Amino acid sequence: METKNLCAAISLELHEKISQNREASGLTTAQYITQILTDYYTQKENGGTNMANTRTMAFQISEELFQKIKSHLELETARTGKKLTQRDFVLGLIETALADTTAEPTA
């Protein structure tokens, strides 16, 4: 994997905190900073969700439905100019369905 150096001046307090945690982790500085940044961007891509408080849902669908969803995601991404991921699409459907259910008056 190709790498590139990243430098940033940070406060001494933050540097000490990072150094202590890095040492406790047993990682090199490069490994530790890479892990922190990777975790940050993974969390950001997941809508800011703390991955420690999440559960995984997995299910299989037909190839035909998968291709329809893939086409929809591409069209929506082109239409809005913002990438719509499978995760965001499915979560949106679930949240809408749950909101609709809770908004319906009970008989």
Side-chain angles (χ1 to χ4, degrees), residues 5-101:
N5 198 24
L6 177 67
C7 272
I10 58 174
S11 70
L12 288 175
E13 181 181 327
L14 181 57
H15 187 277
E16 289 174 23
K17 188 174 186 177
I18 290 170
S19 294
Q20 288 172 357
N21 287 311
R22 183 208 52 83
E23 288 172 15
S25 73
L27 299 173
T28 66
T29 301
Q31 291 169 328
Y32 185 70
I33 298 299
T34 297
Q35 179 181 342
I36 289 173
L37 293 173
T38 301
D39 290 349
Y40 170 79
Y41 282 105
T42 299
Q43 182 174 343
K44 187 173 180 178
E45 290 166 4
N46 289 318
T49 304
N50 180 350
M51 295 307 289
N53 297 324
T54 63
R55 300 288 301 263
T56 299
M57 284 184 69
F59 49 90
Q60 294 182 330
I61 59 175
S62 69
E63 180 66 25
E64 179 183 2
L65 180 56
F66 180 82
Q67 292 304 323
K68 286 180 181 179
I69 293 169
K70 186 175 171 183
S71 294
H72 174 75
L73 297 176
E74 290 170 0
L75 290 171
E76 282 299 295
T77 296
R79 185 181 69 80
T80 63
K82 182 179 179 228
K83 182 169 176 60
L84 179 61
T85 64
Q86 290 177 23
R87 180 185 183 282
D88 290 338
F89 176 65
V90 172
L91 285 177
L93 293 174
I94 293 169
E95 289 169 352
T96 298
L98 292 174
D100 289 350
T101 302

